[in-house]
Amino acid sequence: MRSNIRRHVSGSKVQQIRSSAENGGADLLNSVHHHVDEHTALIHRAFQNSDGQPLYKDERPWVGWPMKFGYITWQTLASNPVNILLVFVPLGIVFGAIHANPTVVFILNFLAIIPLASLLSFATEELSVKLGQTLGGLLNATFGNAVSIVALKNGEIRIVQASMLGSILSNILLVLGCCFLAGGIKHREQSFNSTVASTMSSLMAVSTASLIIPATLYAAMGRSNNTDNRTDNILILSHGTAVILLILYALYLFFQLKTHADLFDEESEPESGEDDGEGHNGEGHILSPWAAGVALVIITVMVAVCAEYLVDSIDSIVQSAHISRTFIGLILLPIVGNAAEHVTAVVVAMKNKMDLAIGVAIGSSMQIALLVTPFLVILGWILDEPMSLQFEIFETVVFFLAVLVTNYLISDGKSNYLEGAMLLGMYIIIALAFYVYPDNPGDPISPLFSVVSQ
């Protein structure tokens, strides 16, 4: 009897303690929320005029213009989390200007280009709202490859070629693999438009042939007694091939936007009011065309300056870190330059928008293969730089195998996490191979031709 009374009394005390703790916790939580609401209201009131209107909408120009500039700047910087790395931009420029340790200069400018590439992509997307997606994509391809243009101007042909090939490989293996893996973990199986994917993959196969033919021709011409004009003949072939690839890309745009636009409607834009993965939706756009144009010019100048210091410090990095120029251009620079695009593709894949993810990954690769690379060949022709489509045999074989595996995996119009793991595994194998790959591997095919001829 006493034990039952004790249990009852102790149980009632515990219940009272629990209830008082719960009430106290609720009171504490309400107090915290109250203080947060008060501080939020104070912040809002600090940026409002007497009529309760935001200061960036104030009709007085000496108040409204500076506040609007600050508001737009903040919205732009908040569009992507990687923009926090913008602190490295002034550091990279300053350390490069004072000719500091080349390794430090390389690392700082390497990190600085990541947020600048993100802002460049953001500005071109804002500008494409007014100019159209096609012109916006062309602007993104042109301004987004400032590093390659600077390297071409400085005569770093190996860096340019490796950067182009690396951008394609990172998109079709690394980005697409991350999309399949992230989307496959969240969804058992995902589907996409196989017709659009097969069209893109067919064009990628054509671009692969445009690299295989110059490489094999260069090796075959090594058998002849007269090898003096071999480089000149490869340049003639590259210039003609570049013009044809540009024509094919123009026809693809006409195919995509005019004659067969219905096939690409599903992947063209995010749905109204939905986030596109970069912090803004299809309805609300932050920058006006003029503001986006000015931002594009400013960001491009900053990218060019950082790229200049980055390229100038590559020689010291090669000597000190004992890594090749090919590895820097093929693995490191593409990951940095396309970081924002990679994040976007993975985000939309997790939202089960695989058509848009395929368009970002394979569409970007195709743009580099059919537009950017031929454009750089033509630009090298204008600048009198020997930029050609003649890549090393090993690089060409790697490109062919990557496109072949990607075409097999997307042919059925379905994806899962295992296919993503396959693509990522192949990219890691290729990265390891290029880590030990020398800058001057020689010509392994010409001796083979000589043995066969004997």
Side-chain angles (χ1 to χ4, degrees):
M1 181 75 174
R2 290 179 181 177
S3 62
N4 292 335
I5 295 174
R6 287 175 183 173
R7 287 197 197 103
H8 177 72
V9 171
S10 60
S12 61
K13 287 183 179 179
V14 169
Q15 191 68 26
Q16 290 176 0
I17 294 172
R18 284 180 179 175
S19 61
S20 61
E22 289 177 357
N23 293 333
D27 292 340
L28 179 62
L29 188 61
N30 292 332
S31 177
V32 170
H33 282 303
H34 178 69
H35 284 295
V36 170
D37 292 339
E38 282 186 349
H39 285 293
T40 304
L42 286 174
I43 292 173
H44 281 293
R45 283 198 295 268
F47 291 96
Q48 291 178 352
N49 57 21
S50 58
D51 298 330
Q53 189 180 29
L55 290 179
Y56 65 86
K57 294 183 179 180
D58 199 296
E59 296 180 355
R60 295 170 295 178
W62 62 88
V63 175
W65 291 358
M67 294 304 298
K68 186 173 183 180
F69 176 79
Y71 175 76
I72 292 176
T73 302
W74 169 252
Q75 290 288 97
T76 302
L77 295 178
S79 62
N80 199 310
V82 301
N83 292 337
I84 195 174
L85 297 177
L86 283 170
V87 295
F88 292 103
V89 175
L91 293 176
I93 295 176
V94 170
F95 276 75
I98 64 176
H99 304 288
N101 187 303
T103 303
V104 177
V105 173
F106 179 86
I107 294 174
L108 290 177
N109 287 283
F110 183 85
L111 295 174
I113 288 178
I114 297 177
L116 290 177
S118 170
L119 290 176
L120 198 65
S121 176
F122 174 80
T124 53
E125 287 180 1
E126 293 290 308
L127 194 60
S128 66
V129 175
K130 184 70 176 179
L131 301 180
Q133 292 296 320
T134 303
L135 189 55
L138 296 176
L139 288 174
N140 193 18
T142 304
F143 290 99
N145 290 276
V147 177
S148 299
I149 295 174
V150 171
L152 179 61
K153 180 179 68 71
N154 293 345
E156 295 280 357
I157 305 299
R158 289 296 301 146
I159 293 293
V160 178
Q161 289 182 328
S163 178
M164 292 298 98
L165 183 60
S167 297
I168 297 172
L169 292 177
S170 67
N171 276 306
I172 64 176
L173 295 179
L174 178 62
V175 179
L176 192 61
C178 289
C179 290
F180 285 179
L181 182 63
I185 291 175
K186 191 172 183 180
H187 308 276
R188 178 180 174 83
E189 188 176 70
Q190 296 176 290
S191 60
F192 48 87
N193 192 328
S194 59
T195 304
V196 174
S198 63
T199 301
M200 293 181 177
S201 60
S202 299
L203 288 170
M204 286 298 300
V206 173
S207 67
T208 306
S210 70
L211 298 187
I212 293 176
I213 293 173
T216 52
L217 178 63
Y218 184 84
M221 284 168 37
R223 293 184 299 163
S224 63
N225 296 326
N226 185 14
T227 59
D228 296 336
N229 298 326
R230 184 162 65 159
T231 302
D232 295 335
N233 292 334
I234 290 296
L235 285 175
I236 293 173
L237 173 63
S238 298
H239 297 158
T241 304
V243 173
I244 294 173
L245 291 178
L246 291 174
I247 294 173
L248 285 177
Y249 186 76
L251 288 175
Y252 168 73
L253 291 180
F254 186 76
F255 178 87
Q256 178 186 16
L257 301 174
K258 295 294 182 182
T259 60
H260 293 70
D262 56 305
L263 296 176
F264 297 85
D265 285 342
E266 294 183 5
E267 60 159 335
S268 59
E269 286 290 339
E271 294 180 7
S272 176
E274 290 189 3
D275 189 14
D276 65 354
E278 291 195 3
H280 53 87
N281 54 44
E283 291 182 352
H285 294 278
I286 298 172
L287 301 179
S288 66
W290 281 105
V294 172
L296 193 63
V297 173
I298 294 175
I299 296 168
T300 303
V301 171
M302 298 175 70
V303 169
V305 173
C306 292
E308 186 77 34
Y309 292 129
L310 181 72
V311 172
D312 289 341
S313 61
I314 285 178
D315 289 335
S316 299
I317 288 293
V318 169
Q319 295 176 0
S320 61
H322 303 291
I323 56 178
S324 64
R325 286 182 175 83
T326 306
F327 181 80
I328 293 175
L330 198 140
I331 302 298
L332 298 182
L333 293 184
I335 293 177
V336 170
N338 302 322
E341 203 169 54
H342 296 178
V343 174
T344 302
V346 173
V347 169
V348 297
M350 294 181 67
K351 294 181 178 180
N352 204 23
K353 298 180 180 180
M354 288 305 297
D355 284 313
L356 186 56
I358 293 288
V360 171
I362 300 183
S364 298
S365 300
M366 190 182 61
Q367 189 179 55
I368 295 170
L370 297 179
L371 174 64
V372 179
T373 304
F375 169 75
L376 290 175
V377 172
I378 301 298
L379 183 61
W381 191 7
I382 296 172
L383 298 176
D384 199 23
E385 294 287 347
M387 174 65 187
S388 69
L389 294 175
Q390 186 259 317
F391 288 68
E392 298 294 339
I393 294 294
F394 177 70
E395 298 168 4
T396 308
V397 171
V398 166
F399 182 36
F400 170 75
L401 292 176
V403 173
L404 182 66
V405 171
T406 304
N407 288 355
Y408 272 126
L409 292 181
I410 66 175
S411 60
D412 60 348
K414 297 179 181 180
S415 66
N416 52 62
Y417 71 90
L418 180 59
E419 293 180 348
M422 293 178 192
L423 292 174
L424 289 176
M426 185 169 184
Y427 184 78
I428 294 173
I429 293 172
I430 291 173
L432 290 174
F434 277 107
Y435 180 76
V436 298
Y437 184 72
D439 280 325
N440 299 310
D443 186 3
I445 301 298
S446 294
L448 180 61
F449 275 125
S450 300
V451 172
V452 172
S453 62
Q454 292 175 1

